[in-house]
Amino acid sequence: MSVKEVKIAAAQYAPKHAQPDVNLAAALDLITQASRAGAALLVLPECCLTGYRFADAAALRTVAEQRGSARLARLADAAAVAGITVVAGIAEREGPLLFDSAVVLQPHAAPAYYRKIHLWGAEREIFSAGDTPMVVPTPVGKVGLSICYDLWFPELSRALALQGADIIASPANWAGNPRMVQVLDSQGQAMGFHLARTTACVNEVAVVAADRIGQEQTTRYLGNSCIVSSAGEVLAGPAPFDETTLIVAEVELASRDDLQSHIKSRRPDVYARYRGAGE
């Protein structure tokens, strides 16, 4: 089995609400830190340039990024100078529409944009949903994109694995689940962390989740950023729920030629008989 080793980083911090220039400076500093740590890939949290909680679309629209904006150009230039691939969660504006997006910035390539497919709660009142799973070839490997709530849908993660993703990068703003009394379990771990680990194991892809911390309005974010191997082993994290940190890990990206591969063991002929009425 051929194996490629790469060093990956995830940044956990608290973006400032509606202060994109302040948040840009923080992101640029993190790119430098990750590069100095030897990372070839850095994942930043969801909505890392704007913050997340806005009263309405009009309020977010004033600070959201358009493709090719000066701030995104500065992020791309920094990634190129550092020789690192960056996945950053952003609020994207296109005409009257807003998208919860992730942009992939890498040296010698045009930016690639993924728009969050599964919108959570009040997000539906502000953002339009994307409809295209995305795997981006990078110098690190094939990177699949999944933003926060997307990770709750195994269909998307499996689609990314079937498209050949080596890594799933997940910018996140994990917060409480209204069905759960306690948002962290007895080990201080968030549901998002458990889903990241499960996603990695069942799809045999590395998963990098960069969650934010802090509080906006009444929303408290949970941290627990992590880097998980394709075997489901936790290589870095889960980071504490209230700690600013950059986690880094060496990750092995193995080919799926193992006879015990979960992907090869699938039975789509059986699953097809039990699809729900809405599929």
Side-chain angles (χ1 to χ4, degrees):
M1 180 173 3
S2 61
V3 174
K4 175 182 179 181
E5 291 191 353
V6 297
K7 189 171 282 190
I8 294 173
Q12 177 174 291
Y13 60 105
K16 303 297 183 183
H17 180 76
Q19 297 184 52
D21 291 324
V22 172
N23 294 328
L24 172 64
L28 294 173
D29 181 59
L30 286 159
I31 290 173
T32 300
Q33 289 184 46
S35 177
R36 287 175 178 169
L41 171 68
L42 168 65
V43 183
L44 300 171
E46 182 180 15
C47 294
C48 72
L49 295 181
T50 57
Y52 176 77
R53 285 292 302 273
F54 286 82
D56 52 37
L60 177 56
R61 196 173 287 114
T62 63
V63 291
E65 300 296 325
Q66 291 183 290
R67 297 189 183 190
S69 71
R71 280 184 286 266
L72 292 182
R74 288 190 64 189
L75 276 181
D77 288 345
V81 169
I84 190 171
T85 297
V86 176
V87 177
I90 62 168
E92 179 195 353
R93 174 166 60 93
E94 183 179 63
L97 302 179
L98 293 168
F99 298 92
D100 190 337
S101 298
V103 59
V104 182
L105 305 166
Q106 55 179 312
H108 315 301
Y113 293 84
Y114 164 73
R115 291 170 170 173
K116 187 176 184 178
I117 291 172
H118 304 98
L119 299 180
W120 163 257
E123 289 177 358
R124 301 174 189 126
E125 299 171 12
I126 293 178
F127 295 109
S128 297
D131 59 10
T132 307
M134 180 173 289
V135 175
V136 182
T138 76
V140 182
K142 294 180 179 179
V143 177
L145 285 307
S146 174
I147 301 174
C148 198
Y149 190 43
D150 279 335
L151 206 58
W152 269 246
F153 295 85
E155 299 90 342
L156 176 59
S157 299
R158 180 52 53 87
L160 298 175
L162 290 173
Q163 288 181 42
D166 300 302
I167 302 163
I168 292 178
S170 182
N173 280 180
W174 293 335
N177 184 332
R179 296 185 179 89
M180 297 175 66
V181 176
Q182 300 293 332
V183 296
L184 298 175
D185 67 16
S186 61
Q187 303 301 311
Q189 296 170 352
M191 182 61 70
F193 164 71
H194 295 293
L195 288 169
R197 190 173 185 186
T198 301
T199 296
C201 180
V202 302
N203 290 294
E204 296 171 302
V205 297
V207 172
V208 188
D211 190 27
R212 65 161 291 171
I213 58 171
Q215 185 163 334
E216 284 182 303
Q217 299 178 30
T218 59
T219 301
R220 180 76 181 184
Y221 301 99
L222 305 180
N224 267 211
S225 298
C226 58
I227 301 171
V228 186
S229 78
S230 60
E233 299 167 318
V234 181
L235 304 175
F241 86 98
D242 57 354
E243 182 178 304
T244 296
T245 186
L246 181 76
I247 59 173
V248 183
E250 195 82 38
V251 180
E252 290 186 355
L253 306 180
S255 64
R256 292 196 190 93
D257 53 9
D258 190 328
L259 290 177
Q260 299 304 314
S261 164
H262 305 325
I263 296 295
K264 289 183 178 180
S265 299
R266 293 170 66 246
R267 290 290 309 278
D269 57 318
V270 174
Y271 314 147
R273 299 181 218 152
Y274 297 96
R275 286 179 178 167
E279 296 188 52

